[in-house]
Amino acid sequence: MRKRRLIAPIAVLVLVLLVAGVAVVYPSVTAVACPQCYGLTEVADNLYAERGADRQRLAGLAADAHQRVAAFYGGRVTSPRLLACETRECYDRIGGGGERGLAVLNRAVLLSPRGLDPVIAAHEMSHVELHERAGDHRVPQWFDEGLAVVVADDLRYLKPAGSADRCLISSDEPLPETLADWLAAEGGDRMYALAACRVSRWIGTRTGPQAVADLLTDLEEVGTVPNP
């Protein structure tokens, strides 16, 4: 009986230390699990922001981003938690870096003050949606990033919808297959434009956005996304 009394508090202490370790090393993970622990409050369904934030603006932004994803896929299978920061201090606190936005654990999206835009939000939500639909199957990073640009309709890297060819630039050069290689690649904007070009052309020569849904269904057989 005495041993059991000792084991219980030790187990609790170990659990507390593990949680504290995760919070220090991966604050974005714990921020997603407990936004309130990082000073955020729910301003709309599954949308968290700092107290005093512009609720109407953020709710509109989130709705627009969700709509872009739903419009592309004909519906959504995900509804990621959105943590939106209007100040740099907030974004640093929840584990953000120099990026505009970040998808976390395929279940949440973090937005920095520079990323409070439906295009950026939709880009990150596209990652979450794609990964959920792909399951355990590998998706090349260039395809993931290029598709996110197309889904978000990001005109920094594509010509307007309706253009005969939406590519701003094109190349047959190999594009990064893994996240590590993508992050290490030079010429960030150029890489996004090249990836978006390749994906948009692939979609354009097939059945449109439905081709992506069909491809993800076929992953059960082919195991990976083929090179367009």
Side-chain angles (χ1 to χ4, degrees):
M1 183 67 74
R2 185 178 179 182
K3 287 184 179 180
R4 290 181 181 176
R5 290 174 180 170
L6 288 173
I7 290 173
I10 290 175
V12 171
L13 177 60
V14 170
L15 179 60
V16 169
L17 290 175
L18 286 174
V19 172
V22 171
V24 171
V25 180
Y26 302 109
S28 59
V29 175
T30 49
V32 168
C34 181
Q36 297 88 344
C37 300
Y38 288 77
L40 303 182
T41 183
E42 190 168 20
V43 299
D45 185 34
N46 228 13
L47 169 62
Y48 293 81
E50 300 159 272
R51 291 180 177 82
D54 188 336
R55 294 180 174 230
Q56 185 173 358
R57 175 198 176 200
L58 294 179
L61 179 158
D64 188 339
H66 282 303
Q67 177 56 33
R68 290 175 189 238
V69 176
F72 183 88
Y73 281 103
R76 293 184 291 117
V77 298
T78 62
S79 183
R81 175 168 286 183
L82 183 61
L83 277 58
C85 285
E86 292 187 329
T87 66
R88 184 68 223 185
E89 292 75 17
C90 166
Y91 198 60
D92 288 341
R93 190 165 61 248
I94 64 175
E99 67 284 331
R100 287 181 169 85
L102 182 68
V104 179
L105 297 178
N106 299 333
R107 58 185 292 264
V109 168
L110 276 55
L111 294 179
S112 76
R114 297 190 303 119
L116 296 180
D117 182 283
V119 171
I120 303 301
H123 181 112
E124 301 304 331
M125 289 179 183
S126 173
H127 291 318
V128 175
E129 186 77 13
L130 176 64
H131 295 172
E132 179 65 24
R133 288 172 179 263
D136 295 330
H137 299 287
R138 185 180 67 84
V139 178
Q141 194 64 31
W142 66 263
F143 188 93
D144 194 348
E145 297 294 349
L147 181 61
V149 172
V150 173
V151 170
D153 194 26
D154 193 336
L155 298 184
R156 292 176 301 170
Y157 308 121
L158 286 171
K159 293 178 182 177
S163 302
D165 183 357
R166 300 195 67 186
C167 294
L168 293 177
I169 58 173
S170 64
S171 170
D172 294 330
E173 67 190 80
L175 295 176
E177 296 276 335
T178 69
L179 176 59
D181 288 342
W182 180 270
L183 294 175
E186 297 180 358
D189 285 346
R190 179 175 179 274
M191 297 302 293
Y192 279 106
L194 288 175
C197 171
R198 200 162 296 180
V199 172
S200 66
R201 282 181 175 172
W202 181 83
I203 292 172
T205 58
R206 288 165 174 78
T207 57
Q210 182 60 39
V212 176
D214 293 341
L215 176 64
L216 294 174
T217 299
D218 291 343
L219 283 177
E220 292 296 333
E221 298 179 8
V222 302
T224 186
V225 175
N227 196 333

